[in-house]
Amino acid sequence: MTTIERIKEILIGIVMISMSLYMLHEPRRGFRLIIIVFSVTLLLTGIRSILYYIDMGRHMVDGRTALYKGVILADLSSLGLMLNNFSTLYIVLYLVSIHAFSGGVDVFGAVQAKKLDTPWRGKLIEGVVNLAVAGFCVY
């Protein structure tokens, strides 16, 4: 991990902690702020994936996956922004389902990585933690 990546991760952590403190202080506004930040992040990630496909992915084997990923992330972003006008319950269900889906994908990827004899433990732990967060939110 380079120094720039470490600084980026530290800044992301600080932003997440400050958003959680804001959410404790202002619960209604906190959920709306989180869904806006989450949707903008999904949109930027989707655009980045689409641009990657346009630049290099279309010339690679299985490059269309980047295009599909970008379109799906952009759609999830628009769904999140639409949910911002609805009840907090829908926002929470949306966030829980994203955590559960992400955890399931990470666990599945870890199983595939183990079959290919590549590093898999970190991805498995991340997936299990995401599934646990989704479970605790539902509980």
Side-chain angles (χ1 to χ4, degrees):
M1 185 179 275
T2 65
T3 306
I4 294 174
E5 289 174 344
R6 287 183 185 176
I7 291 172
K8 179 182 153 189
E9 292 297 320
I10 289 171
L11 289 176
I12 289 172
I14 290 171
V15 168
M16 290 176 73
I17 290 171
S18 64
M19 285 177 60
S20 67
L21 292 175
Y22 181 74
M23 209 170 125
L24 287 173
H25 183 62
E26 294 282 337
R28 291 246 182 235
R29 287 184 182 162
F31 279 115
R32 303 223 185 278
L33 176 68
I34 286 175
I35 199 68
I36 289 171
V37 169
F38 189 67
S39 295
V40 168
T41 304
L42 281 176
L43 181 65
L44 293 176
T45 306
I47 290 172
R48 189 176 102 199
S49 184
I50 290 171
L51 290 176
Y52 171 77
Y53 170 76
I54 291 170
D55 187 36
M56 290 182 3
R58 61 186 161 152
H59 303 295
M60 299 170 59
V61 175
D62 202 28
R64 286 189 187 160
T65 306
L67 176 66
Y68 299 148
K69 177 184 169 187
V71 170
I72 289 171
L73 289 176
D75 286 343
L76 285 174
S77 170
S78 64
L79 175 67
L81 289 174
M82 284 187 342
L83 283 177
N84 196 23
N85 298 327
F86 290 106
S87 171
T88 307
L89 175 68
Y90 295 118
I91 296 172
V92 171
L93 289 175
Y94 175 70
L95 294 173
V96 166
S97 62
I98 292 293
H99 266 291
F101 180 75
S102 175
V105 168
D106 285 342
V107 168
F108 180 71
V111 170
Q112 294 298 323
K114 185 174 181 182
K115 287 181 184 177
L116 296 173
D117 201 28
T118 58
W120 56 275
R121 286 183 180 90
K123 191 170 250 335
L124 179 68
I125 291 170
E126 185 177 344
V128 168
V129 167
N130 269 333
L131 288 172
V133 165
F136 286 133
C137 287
V138 170
Y139 177 69

